[in-house]
Amino acid sequence: MHLKSLRLFMAVVESGSFVAAAKKLNTVQSNVTTHIKKLEEELGVQLIQRAGQVRPTSAGLALVEYAQSMLSTHDKAVALFQNQTKACGHLRIGAMETTTALRLPPILATYHAQYPEVDIHLTTGPTAELAEQLLSGQLDCAFVAGPLKHEHYYGLKAFDEQLVLVGAEPMASMPSVETLTASAFLAFRQGCSYRQRIELLLASHGINASRIFEFGSLDAMLGCVAAGMGYALLPSATVEAHRHRFEVHTLALPAPIAQVDTYFVAAQPNTWTPALERFAATVRESVSATRHSPTAA
Amino acid sequence: MHLKSLRLFMAVVESGSFVAAAKKLNTVQSNVTTHIKKLEEELGVQLIQRAGQVRPTSAGLALVEYAQSMLSTHDKAVALFQNQTKACGHLRIGAMETTTALRLPPILATYHAQYPEVDIHLTTGPTAELAEQLLSGQLDCAFVAGPLKHEHYYGLKAFDEQLVLVGAEPMASMPSVETLTASAFLAFRQGCSYRQRIELLLASHGINASRIFEFGSLDAMLGCVAAGMGYALLPSATVEAHRHRFEVHTLALPAPIAQVDTYFVAAQPNTWTPALERFAATVRESVSATRHSPTAA
DNA sequence: GCCATGCTATCTCAAAAAGAGATAGAGATG
DNA sequence: CATCTCTATCTCTTTTTGAGATAGCATGGC
């Protein structure tokens, strides 16, 4: 059963004429006859009454319902990919905890306002996990630290974060090696790229094995830092955004360790759904907007 | 977009391999490649990721939903006409008032018990109206008086009714010409074949223009006959079924006028929906059952 | 690091199908 | 009864499909 046959069938039913149906679909009457006949053979029933007036038989009328369903589904699918309709369907986004907290809300709000038909699924996790999920097809796109090592993947530098050392007490300069060695560090669970930076930072000071506590949420981490449990390494902007809720102090770090770029990554653009395409556009716009008008970094 | 392409696409998605998909649908791998490629060209997006493991891209995943809808609708349609599923859909039945009252209930009950998925639409009306509706495609089948004059139509003699003269007073023999001329006759609205019989009956007695009242319902008619408003011509079995509610008297009539056959009529069997096919079967069974075991006629 | 294996893309040729035109036949109309 | 309109059928050309063979690429084991 070809969709074209169904389309011709519907045209015949609607116009009540083979000739009219042929004209409507830019073909020839003999083709209409052939297609209808083939449909009838395939289903084993006569679908169109030709004698007298041309109209669907009982069986034809029954087929109409199925044909309409199939054709409209087909049209919807085509229209969707042709961007003739508003984006719809699902969009599975992954993001780091810190990105989710600070950068994502305005973007998601803008996107959702413009494409309310899209079901957004937001997954939070460390970079390594997100990358794996993206590669295995469980995510459509993700915000991760650093560009994806994988080639053949789309990457857009979205935000650059400055990591700062966060502690309970004011710091004028880097704490001493003794202090650092004795202190605990608070980080997100395994796979977080910021955690790798902690180890980098410690290594640069000759310290190799400090105690690291794993946290699942940003709030818990900041709360524990404020309570003097230890140090954390977090994006400056994130800490600033939460400063009114937690009494913590920060110390800027040297660029090589401090600078972490957050990338928007996804598969190649030619594999994108319209929903993803529009989301990428929203991200791009948001990025260029904040970059050109340097508001609170 | 061909349904076959979608089927291959789904097989690839499900099996994660072009070769496996080809085997599953009894074809060759190169055909799978071609079909998928064509789909991708048509929609302008890559649907399947080939590098590494073969799996749907974001766009492919979006198409899956549409493809499933179209394919399952197609399968349902085919299964329906192939009688691989229980009958479903609509069934528009037409019947005369008297048939509806007496003959139809057991048939409809049997049918509905066996095919509860079928939506039954029952239209009541006089023979002429029903025939017109059947011919214009507004009905799938009908119970009418006498065979349909139209050829190319299916007709099954379902019941034979004996018309009797119904009056308020006991009748030993045919009322006199004077009585008949002075009396009113009660009949269904224009188009009812029983009404033609009244005119036939009167004509056979040399009376040509008697007063005829039109009624829409059997109950009203019998009630008015019992009240002495006039005579009616009705199937004996119908009157018998209502005798406990109305005090009326009947008189048998000579066969040529009395005998009226009720036919089950429909378009040719090769145009029937499965629902109609099963209904015709139910009618046939019901007819042969009552014919072989002569219970109350 | 090399080879074997398994997978997909591409090419080619034969077969099938679709499309378009011409014509015949059926039914409606005046 | 003549005419007009519509569908079925036939035929020929063009296009598409299907199947096989082969090349190219990645993966996994040795």
Side-chain angles (χ1 to χ4, degrees):
Chain A
M1 186 184 298
H2 287 67
L3 287 177
K4 182 166 251 170
S5 303
L6 289 178
R7 206 146 248 144
L8 285 169
F9 169 71
M10 287 303 297
V12 169
V13 169
E14 281 161 17
S15 65
S17 150
F18 281 49
V19 171
K23 273 182 197 155
K24 196 171 173 183
L25 296 184
N26 298 314
T27 184
V28 180
Q29 170 264 324
S30 62
N31 290 335
V32 179
T33 297
T34 310
H35 271 110
I36 299 289
K37 224 168 150 185
K38 210 161 197 174
L39 266 184
E40 291 180 329
E41 277 169 25
E42 191 176 342
L43 295 177
V45 285
Q46 190 179 330
L47 297 168
I48 301 284
Q49 184 200 86
R50 277 89 152 176
Q53 53 180 327
V54 173
R55 57 180 182 71
T57 62
S58 294
L61 230 42
L63 181 63
V64 162
E65 301 177 26
Y66 293 92
Q68 277 176 335
S69 164
M70 281 192 259
L71 293 177
S72 80
T73 303
H74 172 258
D75 292 345
K76 272 182 210 154
V78 170
L80 175 65
F81 286 104
Q82 243 77 350
N83 272 316
Q84 289 166 3
T85 51
K86 275 233 160 181
C88 67
H90 305 271
L91 179 62
R92 301 161 303 167
I93 307 170
M96 298 182 290
E97 188 77 30
T98 50
T99 309
T100 303
L102 187 69
R103 309 291 188 182
L104 228 43
I107 296 179
L108 288 182
T110 304
Y111 180 77
H112 180 67
Q114 204 170 354
Y115 306 103
E117 298 290 310
V118 178
D119 282 337
I120 297 173
H121 301 255
L122 181 61
T123 303
T124 305
T127 292
E129 265 182 34
L130 294 176
E132 191 188 335
Q133 289 182 309
L134 179 67
L135 264 54
S136 72
Q138 292 172 62
L139 288 176
D140 294 317
C141 60
F143 293 90
V144 297
L148 214 59
K149 289 153 297 296
H150 246 266
E151 50 189 326
H152 299 310
Y153 267 73
Y154 175 86
L156 170 73
K157 186 172 161 183
F159 325 109
D160 39 25
E161 308 284 2
Q162 298 296 324
L163 294 187
V164 291
L165 188 66
V166 193
E169 304 296 327
M171 293 170 278
S173 62
M174 197 67 193
S176 67
V177 173
E178 289 75 35
T179 313
L180 288 177
T181 310
S183 300
F185 277 80
L186 283 58
F188 289 115
R189 66 178 182 279
Q190 198 64 45
C192 175
S193 65
Y194 298 169
R195 182 173 173 160
Q196 297 168 4
R197 294 292 171 121
I198 292 176
E199 285 158 9
L200 213 66
L201 173 69
L202 295 177
S204 74
H205 287 264
I207 309 162
N208 50 12
S210 232
R211 196 142 41 133
I212 294 182
F213 290 122
E214 287 191 4
F215 281 76
S217 101
L218 184 63
D219 273 22
M221 198 188 296
L222 279 171
C224 289
V225 169
M229 193 167 162
Y231 294 101
L233 219 61
L234 289 171
S236 169
T238 305
V239 180
E240 295 309 319
H242 287 77
R243 190 178 285 289
H244 63 285
R245 293 168 49 213
F246 301 101
E247 200 173 307
V248 292
H249 298 268
T250 58
L251 176 73
L253 297 172
I257 286 180
Q259 177 112 16
V260 178
D261 294 332
T262 301
Y263 275 74
F264 173 73
V265 294
Q268 290 287 34
N270 68 344
T271 69
W272 292 357
T273 60
L276 177 52
E277 201 169 307
R278 304 317 306 152
F279 184 66
T282 305
V283 171
R284 267 197 301 274
E285 283 159 24
S286 163
V287 167
S288 63
T290 55
R291 195 159 288 169
H292 293 151
S293 63
T295 49
Chain B
M1 187 184 297
H2 287 69
L3 286 177
K4 184 167 249 170
S5 303
L6 290 178
R7 207 146 247 143
L8 285 169
F9 169 72
M10 288 303 297
V12 169
V13 170
E14 281 161 17
S15 64
S17 151
F18 282 48
V19 172
K23 272 183 198 156
K24 196 170 171 183
L25 296 184
N26 299 314
T27 182
V28 179
Q29 170 263 326
S30 62
N31 290 334
V32 180
T33 297
T34 310
H35 271 110
I36 299 288
K37 227 167 147 185
K38 209 160 197 176
L39 265 184
E40 290 180 330
E41 277 169 26
E42 191 176 343
L43 295 177
V45 284
Q46 191 179 331
L47 297 169
I48 301 284
Q49 184 200 85
R50 277 89 150 176
Q53 52 178 328
V54 173
R55 57 179 182 71
T57 63
S58 294
L61 230 42
L63 181 63
V64 162
E65 301 176 27
Y66 293 93
Q68 277 176 336
S69 163
M70 281 191 260
L71 293 177
S72 80
T73 304
H74 172 258
D75 293 344
K76 273 183 210 153
V78 170
L80 175 65
F81 286 104
Q82 243 77 349
N83 272 318
Q84 288 164 4
T85 51
K86 274 231 160 178
C88 66
H90 303 271
L91 179 62
R92 301 162 303 169
I93 308 169
M96 297 182 290
E97 188 79 29
T98 49
T99 309
T100 303
L102 188 68
R103 309 291 187 183
L104 227 42
I107 295 178
L108 288 181
T110 305
Y111 181 76
H112 179 67
Q114 203 168 355
Y115 307 102
E117 298 290 309
V118 178
D119 283 336
I120 297 173
H121 301 255
L122 181 60
T123 303
T124 305
T127 292
E129 264 182 36
L130 294 176
E132 191 187 334
Q133 290 182 308
L134 179 67
L135 263 54
S136 73
Q138 293 171 62
L139 289 176
D140 294 317
C141 60
F143 293 89
V144 296
L148 215 57
K149 288 152 298 297
H150 246 267
E151 51 188 324
H152 299 310
Y153 267 72
Y154 175 87
L156 169 75
K157 186 172 164 183
F159 324 109
D160 39 26
E161 309 286 2
Q162 298 296 325
L163 293 187
V164 293
L165 188 67
V166 192
E169 305 295 330
M171 293 170 277
S173 62
M174 198 65 194
S176 67
V177 174
E178 289 73 34
T179 311
L180 288 177
T181 308
S183 300
F185 276 81
L186 284 56
F188 288 115
R189 67 179 183 279
Q190 196 65 45
C192 175
S193 64
Y194 297 171
R195 182 172 173 160
Q196 298 169 2
R197 295 292 170 119
I198 291 177
E199 285 157 9
L200 213 66
L201 173 68
L202 294 177
S204 74
H205 287 263
I207 309 162
N208 50 13
S210 231
R211 193 140 46 130
I212 295 183
F213 290 119
E214 287 191 5
F215 281 76
S217 100
L218 184 63
D219 273 23
M221 197 188 297
L222 279 171
C224 290
V225 169
M229 192 166 161
Y231 294 101
L233 220 61
L234 288 171
S236 169
T238 305
V239 179
E240 294 310 317
H242 287 77
R243 189 178 284 292
H244 63 285
R245 294 170 48 214
F246 301 100
E247 203 172 307
V248 292
H249 298 268
T250 58
L251 177 71
L253 297 172
I257 286 180
Q259 176 113 15
V260 178
D261 294 332
T262 300
Y263 274 73
F264 172 73
V265 294
Q268 289 287 34
N270 68 344
T271 69
W272 292 356
T273 60
L276 177 53
E277 201 170 308
R278 303 317 306 154
F279 184 65
T282 305
V283 171
R284 266 196 302 274
E285 282 159 25
S286 163
V287 167
S288 64
T290 55
R291 196 158 288 167
H292 294 151
S293 64
T295 48

